[in-house]
Amino acid sequence: MADFKRSDIEIDEDRAAWRGFFQVRAYRLRHRLYKGGWGRWLSRELFMRGPAVGLLPYDPVTDCILQVEQFRVGAMSRAASPWLLELVAGIIDKPDENPEDVARREALEEAGLDITDMESIAEYYSSPGGSDEYFYLFCGRTDLSNAGGFYGLAEEGEDIHAKVIPFAEAMAMLDAGQIDNAHSLIALQWLRLNREALRQRWLA
């Protein structure tokens, strides 16, 4: 870990460059250098997304996962389709919400699922070169025997297809490069490594 702290940054300007569905802030800043002294003044824009949560629903009885498919504006240039298979996910937008509660709420809204046990997979910055999003990633135990279908909040413009996928099929998709978003890649690789131990705990 670097020895630098927040105090090793100087901000000369901090302003709202854009306010819409999300916010972008523009900074003029500089920071200390490894070789000593201060670097030159830099102009940087920061996509303000804030903390978010992702959940991989897993049923240890049926040995299936659930992913949600929906349109993503960031994937409009994707040759195959801008509809992506992803985790259940949502933004933590209230100060009194904790990540686990948000994960359970989003599972109900996006896939009609009740989550019982939860395992923390990781916490990380999604893309710190230009966004402040900090991501909390979980695997949640649920019953997928009758899951799947169409969900989402109309007032938020959501149109979500929840799909149940057998574990073996999900791993084949992963190996074939058909899973192409970072949060799903991390969660599915984690499940591949921890599935047996997870099933022993959850089926005991």
Side-chain angles (χ1 to χ4, degrees):
M1 296 292 289
D3 293 329
F4 298 123
K5 305 291 188 296
R6 177 61 181 78
S7 57
D8 294 308
I9 304 167
E10 287 186 352
I11 297 177
D12 180 58
E13 183 181 22
D14 174 4
R15 61 181 176 84
W18 173 261
R19 290 181 186 273
F21 186 74
F22 292 110
Q23 182 184 166
V24 176
R25 299 203 68 80
Y27 293 95
R28 184 173 184 269
L29 55 82
R30 66 176 184 170
H31 58 78
R32 292 190 186 275
L33 303 175
Y34 288 107
K35 64 183 179 182
W38 289 87
R40 64 183 179 86
W41 288 100
L42 305 170
S43 295
R44 294 289 184 268
E45 290 77 40
L46 181 65
F47 177 39
M48 306 295 290
R49 189 171 171 88
V53 167
L55 174 76
L56 176 65
Y58 175 64
D59 184 340
V61 176
T62 63
D63 198 24
C64 290
I65 66 159
L66 181 138
Q67 290 219 289
V68 293
E69 184 179 74
Q70 58 187 316
F71 166 74
R72 287 307 199 194
V73 66
M76 281 197 298
S77 62
R78 184 173 180 253
S81 170
W83 274 256
L84 300 183
L85 271 177
E86 301 179 309
L87 304 178
V88 167
I91 297 171
I92 303 174
D93 53 11
K94 297 181 178 64
D96 59 339
E97 285 187 315
N98 65 56
E100 292 85 353
D101 289 342
V102 174
R104 286 189 166 89
R105 182 192 72 207
E106 294 295 332
L108 190 60
E109 290 179 2
E110 295 189 358
L113 299 179
D114 291 318
I115 303 298
T116 54
D117 302 285
M118 289 179 67
E119 294 270 341
S120 175
I121 295 175
E123 298 178 14
Y124 52 89
Y125 285 100
S126 300
S127 185
S131 171
D132 70 341
E133 180 179 75
Y134 191 76
F135 208 77
Y136 297 87
L137 187 57
F138 298 97
C139 181
R141 180 182 180 179
T142 190
D143 179 2
L144 296 178
S145 57
N146 293 302
F150 301 96
Y151 295 90
L153 299 177
E155 61 269 25
E156 294 184 9
E158 293 179 333
D159 182 42
I160 296 170
H161 188 184
K163 297 183 174 182
V164 177
I165 305 170
F167 174 80
E169 183 180 335
M171 294 301 103
M173 294 170 65
L174 188 65
D175 292 338
Q178 295 173 345
I179 306 295
D180 56 2
N181 60 89
H183 304 314
S184 292
L185 285 167
I186 295 168
L188 289 171
Q189 293 285 18
W190 179 90
L191 185 60
R192 169 178 271 166
L193 293 172
N194 293 276
R195 170 172 161 265
E196 290 305 322
L198 195 63
R199 296 187 82 194
Q200 287 178 12
R201 287 197 301 275
W202 284 355
L203 293 175

